[in-house]
Amino acid sequence: MKPANKIWLNGKITSISGARFLNFNQGLNYGACIYEGIRFYKTSKCPGVFRLREHTDRFFYSAKTLGMDLGLTKGEFMEAIKQTIRANKLSSGYLRPLAYYSEPKMGINIIGSELTLSIFVWPWRDEINTKRVCMKIVKTRRLDPSTVDFKAKIGGYYANSLLGFLEARRAGFDEPLFLDTKGFIAEGAINNIFIVRSGILYTPESGNILSGITRDSIIKIAGDLGIKVVEKKLRPEFLRLADEIFLTGTGIELERVGKIQNFFDKKSDVTKITDKLQDRYREIVSGRIKKYFNWIDLL
Ligand code: PMP
């Protein structure tokens, strides 16, 4: 069923055919979209896309979960990513592939609906992240794994992230920290959390979180540097004895946490293990460590 021609848009009645970007669609209405965030960095040779295969696998897994046929192979998708970077003549930046049900169709039946697939790219300089964020454990609990498939990155899930984000911001904090429905630490709105205690790196086990690709990189890098990593269920009280806390995500890479309301207040600037991991991560993404060359797809 197609919508009628006249719509209200930004204060005016206008005809759909004249509206440049608007179309009613299920992607917007129901969060029926999937996306990825991918970074590429300058290397000594040419731009290199970091962990492109893993991002591609997750994007295709998300598509399958939401019944989408992307109409191209993983190889073609990876080539499209590189083509987008080349077309913009960029040496470093952030890519956002997005697929959504774009047919102006009413109702929840997405089966067979038309899809739009786009890849946007932003030029980003690869500067070291020196931010220190203040977090609040929010009342909104993380989505329960029995209600969603956490291995997929589906737009609709982010309603949950947004509620927590607003709750944190309204209380004067930068970012929310979510607990799962059983009260264990889960993750941030769009990032995973790591806690350093007595030289050991702890992170919530996968299952109740979107276990990110950066999280995976950090676990492997830490292991290679001889830092012990423990993935387990953690109660918020565990944060009280933390020496360092940081967040991970493709965009932020590693980001220091300075405070978590009522649980953690880091007075000193010393973040030895975070520094070590961050330095190593940056050497790896810019193609300076041979051991990790297979994480980089050169253009
Ligand atoms: N958790 C959530 C909910 C996210 O949206 C993201 C960002 N994709 C992450 C964690 C971090 O994932 P990644 O390291 O793959 O960017």
Side-chain angles (χ1 to χ4, degrees):
M1 192 171 38
K2 280 193 175 166
N5 185 41
K6 298 282 183 210
I7 53 161
W8 187 99
L9 174 64
N10 297 333
K12 280 198 213 114
I13 297 292
T14 181
S15 84
I16 250 184
S17 49
R20 265 191 33 240
F21 62 93
L22 181 121
N23 214 339
F24 177 86
N25 64 66
Q26 294 165 312
L28 188 62
N29 197 157
Y30 302 114
C33 69
I34 62 158
Y35 77 93
E36 269 305 312
I38 308 175
R39 279 187 81 168
F40 58 101
Y41 295 87
K42 197 172 171 172
T43 74
S44 62
K45 294 195 186 84
C46 60
V49 189
F50 189 59
R51 306 206 70 176
L52 178 57
R53 268 154 296 158
E54 289 80 0
H55 284 287
T56 302
D57 285 345
R58 189 167 68 186
F59 193 60
F60 276 69
Y61 183 84
S62 304
K64 194 171 121 211
T65 306
L66 212 54
M68 293 177 169
D69 175 6
L70 296 173
L72 78 184
T73 64
K74 286 185 181 178
E76 288 164 345
F77 174 79
M78 291 198 277
E79 194 40 47
I81 290 281
K82 293 181 182 176
Q83 211 182 339
T84 314
I85 299 170
R86 277 188 219 111
N88 290 285
K89 298 190 171 55
L90 294 171
S91 55
S92 63
Y94 182 90
L95 293 141
R96 176 56 59 90
L98 177 84
Y100 67 102
Y101 285 111
S102 52
E103 200 170 316
K105 189 170 147 189
M106 271 291 275
I108 193 113
N109 187 1
I110 51 175
I111 299 165
S113 282
E114 181 184 283
L115 273 188
T116 293
L117 170 58
S118 60
I119 303 170
F120 286 75
V121 58
W122 287 261
W124 271 21
R125 271 182 293 157
D126 42 356
E127 284 166 349
I128 189 152
N129 187 347
T130 53
K131 250 171 96 176
R132 282 163 72 89
V133 291
C134 292
M135 303 184 87
K136 175 186 169 59
I137 296 184
V138 288
K139 288 202 189 77
T140 309
R141 294 290 170 101
R142 196 69 184 127
L143 292 168
D144 190 83
S146 65
T147 63
V148 289
D149 180 344
F150 266 126
K151 291 192 286 304
K153 218 167 142 52
I154 293 177
Y157 296 0
Y158 287 83
N160 177 241
S161 297
L162 292 170
L163 293 179
F165 175 77
L166 288 176
E167 199 183 321
R169 282 291 166 108
R170 283 172 183 148
F173 294 84
D174 302 313
E175 298 272 339
L177 176 59
F178 286 90
L179 303 183
D180 68 13
T181 52
K182 301 195 174 64
F184 294 102
I185 299 170
E187 59 183 329
I190 49 166
N191 36 53
N192 296 120
I193 188 164
F194 283 86
I195 299 139
V196 180
R197 236 174 94 162
S198 309
I200 298 173
L201 194 58
Y202 295 88
T203 194
E205 63 189 28
S206 53
N208 63 350
I209 53 169
L210 185 134
S211 55
I213 293 166
T214 322
R215 175 184 178 278
D216 177 73
S217 303
I218 292 299
I219 290 173
K220 291 196 174 110
I221 296 167
D224 290 348
L225 288 173
I227 300 166
K228 188 176 173 195
V229 185
V230 178
E231 295 177 65
K232 63 184 283 203
K233 288 186 164 58
L234 300 164
R235 293 276 181 199
E237 289 68 33
F238 188 80
L239 301 166
R240 291 215 163 96
L241 293 174
D243 302 314
E244 302 170 36
I245 300 180
F246 64 89
L247 304 172
T248 60
T250 298
I252 59 168
E253 301 177 342
L254 279 79
E255 190 162 274
R256 289 165 186 77
V257 177
K259 188 174 174 170
I260 301 177
Q261 189 195 30
N262 300 333
F263 289 94
F264 178 73
D265 196 352
K266 182 80 185 164
K267 297 279 187 292
S268 110
D269 278 347
V270 181
T271 50
K272 267 196 193 153
I273 292 198
T274 313
D275 296 352
K276 200 170 173 185
L277 289 166
Q278 188 178 39
D279 290 347
R280 191 70 168 172
Y281 188 83
R282 297 191 57 75
E283 284 176 334
I284 292 169
V285 295
S286 54
R288 281 179 279 156
I289 312 277
K290 200 170 171 196
K291 182 170 187 191
Y292 301 94
F293 279 178
N294 63 339
W295 279 356
I296 298 171
D297 260 86
L298 294 174
L299 252 66

